[in-house]
Amino acid sequence: MSQRQRMGNQPMIVLSEDSQRTSGKDAQSMNITAGKAVAESVRTTLGPKGMDKMLVDNGGSVVVTNDGVTILKEMDIDHPAANMIVEVSETQETEVGDGTTSAVVIAGELLDQAEELIDQDIHATTVAQGYRQAAEKAKEILEAEAIEVSPDDRETLINIAETAMTGKGAEGSKDLLAELVVDAVLAVQDDDGIDLDNINVETVVGGSIDNAELVEGVIVGKERVDENMPYFAEDANIAVFDGAFEIAETEIDAEVNVTDPSQLQEFIDEEEKQLKEMVDQLVAADVDVVFVGDGIDDMAKHYLAQEGIIAARRVKSSELTAVARATGARVVANLDDLSEDDLGFAGSVAQKDIGGDQRIFVEDVEDAKSVSLIVRGGTEHVVDEIERAIDDSLGVVRSTLLEGHVLPGGGAPEAELALQLRDFADSVGGREQLAVEAFAEALEVIPRTLAENAGLDTIDSLVELRSQHDSGEFGAGLDAYTGDVIDMEAEGVVEPLQVKTQAIESATEAAVMILRIDDVIAAGDLAGGQVGDDDDDGPDMPGGGMGGGMGGMGGMGGMGGAM
Ligand code: ADP
Ligand code: MG
């Protein structure tokens, strides 16, 4: 469809034949529907009783997960407005690591509420303004109500770690895993903050989830280069050498011009001598273990083994850095520079088997700074999902340590916000007031969905929740297991403040951005272009509401085969 605009009497063609344009209410309604469909696709996974999704890609590889951001990333979504909602979960993931489903579900509900207001002829800009005000106020309310946590409050940290794992594959062993997660985060915390990249999660297929362990040190993904080397070293001096234990080829080409066999022998002797000298440099510095970034010549292996030195070659540079950090070594590029000051120290260096692979464990270090969490599970799908749960958990513990505040879970903050925002709405003049009220209503989607997914009566649950908050019970939330409304803090269901503030902030931003669009001009085909005609926001597809509401969003490759 091309667009023609009149300029004087001359029709002017602005857009090419292939481009598509949708304007005004149609554009708005198309975008809102697309955004809502994204939220709908993850809604059933929310909370401790949420279900999992099985995602099958074009190549047939399968992911089974409960994690909002993972589901949305795996789905092949290409509607532009839908993608804005997907970005909400991605922002949530990078900023806090948890709350990705909640953020998207809130964004979807904000759009749903906005649609009703727009139908009542309230201008989208007014809705947007009201939403912004409400979000600002919501943040203030949460900050005022949040509970301070001291970094030494181990019990609360463990509760936070556990809450993030609830309802995921890791749930069965969450007591143990939460301890490990908290220890891991505390171990890598330093004056600059907490860099989760220093926590290396190693997944092992085979063995029980209960055998997860934390190695306070570094696991190098290589085995020793020669079987005559010792398996382990105690009180080891460690050299980290980012170079090669080889004589460079170019030197050979340049220097050798062999005319008779004795010359060749001479040359080999010379090469051996140089390699021996390199090894002697390690011996002189009293090195027990050397990690080498590049190759190790066979002759060098032999000399190293003879000296009883453990050596690993082609160690990844990130692992070299990790060993250096953990043991206090300096990475040297040239062994001539090596002095005792460059060496690191570890109480134990040992080659061990994990899941059938030989790795070198560098442990008992002064200040680990980088640690490894070994996670086991029966199958690859199981370990992958445990790893995702652990990632969420690491994120919330980090966020709590850095920010210092928590909120009760189970829909408590959302119920409280709904209450206080309705009061606040009275102080907001004009039509924005309606938008603030709609915002309050939208936040209740969290407790409502928690109840729904737990098979509870949503109306009863919401009524009870509202009445307890009315009488000042800020911590009252929904126990998804019993259906009772109880004090979530006392129950140990707590989440970092940042999970909630970030979710509200990015959900509002995305909803507002979508609402303000009244014209969609696409250079090509808008992925089916028919999202706008589905005004049924219920899950209208068997298998968990995915796909049905996703018309025009690319759907999921291969999904048909899975059902
Ligand atoms: P998200 O991706 O948003 O983190 P989850 O599936 O992890 O989604 O669900 C998070 C929601 O579940 C939060 O509202 C949290 O408070 C709630 N929740 C977690 N544990 C419990 C529990 N034991 N009882 C009730 N609600 C819980
Ligand atoms: Mg979560």
Side-chain angles (χ1 to χ4, degrees):
M1 159 179 65
S2 71
Q3 285 292 315
R4 285 151 200 271
Q5 291 183 352
R6 297 224 159 244
M7 261 190 111
N9 289 327
Q10 224 53 68
M12 190 176 76
I13 300 171
V14 183
L15 297 175
S16 82
E17 286 294 329
D18 296 338
S19 60
Q20 276 195 4
R21 180 167 183 177
T22 319
S23 305
K25 287 235 157 161
D26 285 349
Q28 242 163 16
S29 129
M30 170 182 81
N31 286 336
I32 288 175
T33 308
K36 275 165 43 180
V38 173
E40 203 52 53
S41 69
V42 292
R43 211 177 124 98
T44 57
T45 69
L46 186 81
K49 295 267 195 122
M51 300 296 280
D52 296 347
K53 301 270 178 207
M54 176 187 266
L55 303 149
V56 187
D57 76 5
N58 289 329
S61 84
V62 175
V63 177
V64 177
T65 185
N66 178 288
D67 189 43
V69 69
T70 307
I71 297 167
L72 296 174
K73 275 188 186 158
E74 294 283 330
M75 279 165 63
D76 188 15
I77 292 174
D78 59 9
H79 188 284
N83 265 322
M84 289 179 181
I85 302 297
V86 176
E87 281 167 14
V88 170
S89 75
E90 289 171 353
T91 309
Q92 186 76 16
E93 174 81 355
T94 45
E95 294 293 321
V96 258
D98 188 25
T100 58
T101 312
S102 306
V104 167
V105 168
I106 291 173
E109 195 65 16
L110 287 174
L111 289 174
D112 191 46
Q113 294 287 336
E115 197 173 33
E116 282 180 30
L117 293 177
I118 291 169
D119 283 347
Q120 293 165 35
D121 274 336
I122 295 173
H123 198 277
T125 312
T126 311
V127 179
Q129 272 163 1
Y131 276 9
R132 283 227 171 89
Q133 271 177 282
E136 196 59 38
K137 184 71 188 173
K139 201 172 161 201
E140 277 171 31
I141 297 169
L142 292 180
E143 280 167 358
E145 302 279 3
I147 307 152
E148 204 168 324
V149 189
S150 123
D152 319 315
D153 184 352
R154 194 178 163 82
E155 198 191 326
T156 302
L157 293 176
I158 288 175
N159 283 339
I160 287 163
E162 285 191 11
T163 301
M165 276 185 243
T166 309
K168 312 256 184 261
E171 182 166 1
S173 300
K174 65 179 181 179
D175 293 347
L176 167 70
L177 294 175
E179 297 256 355
L180 299 182
V181 162
V182 170
D183 287 339
V185 177
L186 290 173
V188 300
Q189 181 171 33
D190 61 19
D191 297 342
D192 298 333
I194 300 168
D195 184 352
L196 293 183
D197 287 345
N198 293 323
I199 301 175
N200 178 18
V201 181
E202 294 268 345
T203 55
V204 180
V205 178
S208 151
I209 170 168
D210 291 324
N211 293 334
E213 58 181 308
L214 180 67
V215 176
E216 298 213 19
V218 181
I219 301 176
V220 175
K222 289 285 169 354
E223 53 188 307
R224 67 209 204 294
V225 283
D226 191 293
E227 54 189 30
N228 294 319
M229 290 174 177
Y231 265 105
F232 65 91
E234 278 172 1
D235 297 332
N237 288 329
I238 297 171
V240 180
F241 173 36
D242 196 3
F245 254 106
E246 284 161 349
I247 306 302
E249 294 269 343
T250 50
E251 285 171 45
I252 302 170
D253 291 344
E255 285 169 27
V256 183
N257 189 355
V258 183
T259 49
D260 72 77
S262 74
Q263 260 179 325
L264 180 59
Q265 190 53 47
E266 225 170 81
F267 167 70
I268 293 172
D269 291 348
E270 175 60 27
E271 197 182 324
E272 277 184 22
K273 201 175 121 230
Q274 285 184 32
L275 289 168
K276 179 84 171 81
E277 274 168 19
M278 289 172 85
V279 175
D280 286 344
Q281 278 163 326
L282 296 184
V283 175
D286 201 16
V287 169
D288 301 301
V289 182
V290 61
F291 292 104
V292 181
D294 235 314
I296 302 181
D297 183 277
D298 283 347
M299 210 57 215
K301 284 185 205 168
H302 169 74
Y303 289 132
L304 286 165
Q306 226 170 31
E307 297 293 344
I309 294 174
I310 300 176
R313 66 173 170 179
R314 304 207 191 283
V315 176
K316 278 195 286 186
S317 92
S318 59
E319 288 176 353
L320 290 180
T321 317
V323 171
R325 251 177 74 94
T327 63
R330 195 174 70 87
V331 181
V332 294
N334 186 337
L335 287 183
D336 293 342
D337 299 339
L338 189 79
S339 80
E340 277 172 41
D341 293 342
D342 298 322
L343 303 184
F345 181 83
S348 154
V349 175
Q351 180 167 316
K352 298 183 193 173
D353 174 296
I354 41 174
D357 288 328
Q358 296 290 317
R359 312 262 175 91
I360 298 174
F361 287 55
V362 181
E363 289 176 89
D364 289 346
V365 289
E366 176 95 22
D367 184 3
K369 284 184 190 146
S370 83
V371 300
S372 304
L373 245 173
I374 305 176
V375 179
R376 295 169 190 273
T379 74
E380 206 173 316
H381 292 133
V382 172
V383 250
D384 286 352
E385 181 66 349
I386 296 172
E387 186 183 3
R388 284 188 287 270
I390 286 186
D391 282 344
D392 286 5
S393 204
L394 291 168
V396 291
V397 174
R398 172 180 185 273
S399 164
T400 309
L401 283 168
L402 295 180
E403 199 283 328
H405 290 87
V406 292
L407 289 168
E414 291 84 1
E416 182 67 23
L417 284 175
L419 181 79
Q420 292 201 32
L421 285 175
R422 285 188 182 110
D423 277 348
F424 169 68
D426 295 340
S427 69
V428 175
R431 294 182 153 205
E432 274 94 352
Q433 177 175 354
L434 298 174
V436 175
E437 277 164 6
F439 192 98
E441 182 89 20
L443 291 179
E444 283 186 331
V445 72
I446 298 295
R448 198 173 343 114
T449 308
L450 288 173
E452 212 169 280
N453 290 349
L456 302 169
D457 186 299
T458 51
I459 298 187
D460 286 353
S461 303
L462 274 191
V463 166
E464 178 61 21
L465 204 52
R466 280 183 190 160
S467 97
Q468 290 210 20
H469 279 265
D470 245 343
S471 47
E473 298 287 336
F474 167 69
L478 190 64
D479 182 336
Y481 298 97
T482 61
D484 298 333
V485 173
I486 52 167
D487 182 352
M488 282 288 151
E489 199 206 345
E491 189 70 13
V493 179
V494 277
E495 297 176 282
L497 169 65
Q498 213 193 344
V499 166
K500 296 295 167 193
T501 51
Q502 181 66 48
I504 290 174
E505 190 177 314
S506 27
T508 308
E509 270 172 27
V512 161
M513 184 177 256
I514 289 174
L515 291 176
R516 293 176 52 89
I517 298 168
D518 80 335
D519 207 355
V520 178
I521 304 158
D525 196 17
L526 237 192
Q530 57 205 354
V531 181
D533 47 37
D534 176 5
D535 57 5
D536 163 20
D537 60 358
D540 47 7
M541 202 190 70
M546 202 173 355
M550 305 293 294
M553 282 196 281
M556 287 194 39
M559 197 60 200
M563 287 181 297

